[in-house]
Amino acid sequence: MRKRTFTCGFDAALAVVGGKWKILILWALHCEGPLRFGALRRAVDGISERVLINQLKEMEASQLVHREEFPQVPPKVEYSLTAFGTSLLDVLMPLGEWGTANMERIASLGAGGAGAGGREEGPRPTAPSPR
């Protein structure tokens, strides 16, 4: 497999965190610690099972999350943040704080609608609060 060449740091960062779900998955694992698949799906409101499976596979390949299988019946698998995933979340925290501070303004612009990649219904995950 050929190594990808990035044009800048943003390009490299977006290669591992692109899409709307990965940041929410990172946040859920940060807030709640290691989670089994079902609990993670409940923690990330609105995500489908298929999308969560795909996102977790990509995040495991990118070394953002660790998948641990326990040898028992019934099978048990837990997902947790890696140090690499935690380091990414650390730099995303200011983005979440900005979103929290500007949530009403963004909502009034219509930028939070489904057409812009946001969700129109249901509870929203709690963004990080300012430190």
Side-chain angles (χ1 to χ4, degrees):
M1 186 185 294
R2 202 175 95 194
K3 269 185 142 175
R4 179 170 171 199
T5 304
F6 299 106
T7 58
C8 66
F10 287 115
D11 188 21
L14 287 173
V16 295
V17 78
K20 85 177 200 179
W21 296 111
K22 289 180 183 168
I23 294 173
L24 297 176
I25 294 167
L26 287 172
W27 181 246
L29 290 172
H30 166 76
C31 290
E32 300 189 31
L35 292 172
R36 295 180 71 175
F37 182 86
L40 186 54
R41 185 167 178 214
R42 287 187 296 277
V44 182
D45 185 51
I47 194 167
S48 71
E49 185 172 326
R50 182 180 60 87
V51 170
L52 181 56
I53 289 168
N54 290 336
Q55 295 292 285
L56 287 169
K57 283 180 183 177
E58 290 176 16
M59 293 172 78
E60 187 179 7
S62 298
Q63 300 177 0
L64 296 174
V65 298
H66 171 72
R67 180 180 191 268
E68 185 165 356
E69 295 182 39
F70 296 90
Q72 64 184 53
V73 176
K76 177 181 175 183
V77 175
E78 281 187 348
Y79 295 91
S80 60
L81 287 178
T82 63
F84 190 50
T86 300
S87 71
L88 176 60
L89 190 60
D90 288 344
V91 299
L92 291 171
M93 293 296 266
L95 179 63
E97 292 165 2
W98 180 86
T100 298
N102 293 286
M103 198 175 300
E104 287 184 30
R105 181 178 186 175
I106 295 166
S108 72
L109 296 172
R119 296 178 293 177
E120 290 183 2
E121 296 180 30
R124 299 187 188 282
T126 305
S129 56
R131 295 175 196 180

